Amino acid sequence: MAGAQDRLTGSTAGRGFAWLGGLVSRVGDRSGATLRERAHDVRGNLLLALQVGVAAGAAWAIMHDGFDAAAPIFAPVAAVGTLAASLGHRTRRTVELVIGVAVGIGVGDLLISGIGSGPVQLGLIVTLAILVTISLGGGVAALTQAAATAVLLVAFDPKMTDPAFPRIMEALVGGGVGLVVASLVLPLNPGRAVDRAARPVLESLADDLSMTGSAMADRDVDRAREALERLRRIVGRMEGWDEAVDSGREATILSPAYWNRRRAISRYAASLEYVNQAVHNSGTLVRRAVTAIEDGEPMPASLASAVGRLGDAVRLLYEELGARATPDQTRACVLAAVTEAGRAYTEGVGFSGSVVVAQVRTTASDLLRATGLERTEAIHLVRRAVKAWQRPEEPEPPSEPRRQSAH
């Protein structure tokens, strides 16, 4: 009895240590991935940091040395605000910054001269500055700048600051310096920036689809669940791609050195919408793959192959977009995945397996659209790829409605 109890205790402890070891391993993997992502972010933003530093210093020097401003606080603040703002909206942000500074200065000077300075006065001035900015139709940047300007005015002794007009001029100079540095002195390469933003999205989608195909082949439900969890994190990265596209468009307008990149940026912009749809539809695909494995449904090797080929197609899409090449290889790989899915359907799948087949078709259409094909042509090619394996007496594999969300 004691021996059995010892074995039970040992077994329990063994499972506990195995669980703890697995937890440590997952945390280590996640920490390593996080560190790699942070290093990637630092490398990707080195030039932006340099832009901000150069613009802040130049704005200060212009006002201090060129206009004899004793303490040109607002010029570097406006330069930093222009460059650190949401990429792709710097021109609009500069206008909002100037509006915010003007409101903050106007309200601040008026009230400080009448009620003095202090914590209560500070709160009242900031509140009124925000309300006035809202009444003028200012955006978030204008609201923030109006409040920050009012705070600076109260924080510094009014006798030590310059008159109101030079302060507004500081905002204009700072915003202008920021735009000049961003567009002429140290312009970001828009193609490289967009490529850098697209890479984590497309690489993650490709890896997760490949992992799902491998999990289906091995009936490894844990690996399939991991792919589903990883896929859900891609959605947040789409915002970075969208911002990079906006920034790229603005750069190709403001920076003469990059006028020739407009077509490349347009290709990435056109792909973005359909990659986003592919991410959501892939989520439904992976979730159903998890269910099919859990329920022990038939899992033809061709179905796992179809999902894996979608992953290969996404990798090819990234390579061909970056090389500005005609995405023929991507299209061929996508259609091969559809054909494999059609083969799997004829070999026999369960309910969840049939949904996977349908989602392969739907995701394939998304990826074909991402290569630049029109909707009618993409649907035609998908149907032809299905019929490449379909026998005359066999029904066509199902097709689900679009825009299925995995989340």
Side-chain angles (χ1 to χ4, degrees), residues 2-63:
Q5 186 173 0
D6 290 342
R7 286 194 298 274
L8 178 61
T9 303
S11 175
T12 303
R15 287 196 299 271
F17 282 120
W19 174 84
L20 180 60
L23 177 62
V24 170
S25 177
R26 288 194 297 273
V27 170
D29 291 343
R30 193 168 299 173
S31 299
T34 300
L35 289 175
R36 287 192 297 272
E37 289 173 359
R38 295 294 176 268
H40 177 265
D41 290 342
V42 169
R43 288 194 301 271
N45 288 284
L46 280 175
L47 184 55
L48 176 60
L50 184 59
Q51 284 182 340
V52 173
V54 170
W60 172 281
I62 289 171
M63 290 304 303

Side-chain angles (χ1 to χ4, degrees), residues 207-229:
D207 291 344
D208 296 342
L209 287 170
S210 295
M211 181 184 291
T212 302
S214 174
M216 293 169 68
D218 298 336
R219 290 188 173 273
D220 187 338
V221 69
D222 290 332
R223 204 187 316 162
R225 287 172 181 157
E226 181 183 353
L228 180 59
E229 184 61 33

